[in-house]
Amino acid sequence: MKKILLIAAFLLSGSTAFSQTADKIFSDLKSNEGVYYMEITKEMIEMARATGDDKAFGKMKDLDNIKLMEIGDADTIGEMRLKLSSLEKGGYKVLIEEQSQNGEQVTIYTLTKGNITKELLTIAQDSNNCQLMLYKGLDSGSFINFLKMSSASF
């Protein structure tokens, strides 16, 4: 019986050991060749709010930070795709996955705790490059407002 419990514990720990977080993907890839990386910190967001510019950040009151990454190197894009394949083991769910006729693909992942969306990761890629955007600290109301703002811009 002990042997069965040990094997079960090992198998369960193995499934989470290879899980990935969006933060880790950014951290692992940001210094690679052909990568442009930028982070908008909570302090920068609060400074923007203090200027009275509610258009940009006022609707997302709980936003902690935004990370942006553009990848133009084929090897790094391959590495990123490999890392993305284990996001779901880390609790991320695919919200939207669309591909156009010319091969452009958009995928949106969310990480939720209960009914609250804590992270939103968007990935837009074509044959030559890839853009990732990570929004952290969203609550459910902010998430809905974010989607409204995004759809209005298209």
Side-chain angles (χ1 to χ4, degrees), residues 35-49:
V35 173
Y36 170 76
Y37 171 79
M38 182 177 82
E39 181 173 359
I40 302 171
T41 64
K42 186 170 186 81
E43 293 78 19
M44 295 168 82
I45 293 168
E46 288 174 1
M47 283 182 7
R49 281 191 191 118

Side-chain angles (χ1 to χ4, degrees), residues 6-20 86 89-90:
L6 284 173
I7 291 171
F10 177 73
L11 290 174
L12 289 174
S13 68
S15 69
T16 58
F18 295 106
S19 68
Q20 191 71 255
S86 63
K89 292 179 186 173

Side-chain angles (χ1 to χ4, degrees), residues 2-122:
K2 274 186 175 179
K3 191 174 186 179
I4 292 172
L5 289 175
L6 284 173
I7 291 171
F10 177 73
L11 290 174
L12 289 174
S13 68
S15 69
T16 58
F18 295 106
S19 68
Q20 191 71 255
T21 67
D23 267 334
K24 180 129 176 56
I25 292 172
F26 277 81
S27 174
D28 289 350
L29 300 179
K30 69 183 179 183
S31 60
N32 284 19
E33 187 173 324
V35 173
Y36 170 76
Y37 171 79
M38 182 177 82
E39 181 173 359
I40 302 171
T41 64
K42 186 170 186 81
E43 293 78 19
M44 295 168 82
I45 293 168
E46 288 174 1
M47 283 182 7
R49 281 191 191 118
T51 65
D53 186 5
D54 282 347
K55 194 183 247 183
F57 298 109
K59 294 186 189 241
M60 296 185 282
K61 301 208 181 301
D62 297 320
L63 189 61
D64 287 333
N65 70 20
I66 302 171
K67 293 182 180 184
L68 308 160
M69 181 179 289
E70 183 167 356
I71 305 171
D73 177 69
D75 290 338
T76 303
I77 290 173
E79 184 180 345
M80 183 254 339
R81 287 182 178 149
L82 185 63
K83 291 176 181 298
L84 286 174
S85 67
S86 63
L87 266 182
E88 291 183 39
K89 292 179 186 173
Y92 292 81
K93 305 279 188 250
V94 174
L95 179 65
I96 297 171
E97 191 165 37
E98 295 288 329
Q99 185 163 356
S100 69
Q101 291 178 341
N102 60 358
E104 296 171 341
Q105 183 175 346
V106 173
T107 307
I108 299 177
Y109 290 91
T110 59
L111 179 65
T112 58
K113 304 280 184 198
N115 290 333
I116 299 174
T117 301
K118 296 309 237 174
E119 292 183 20
L120 178 75
L121 174 65
T122 64

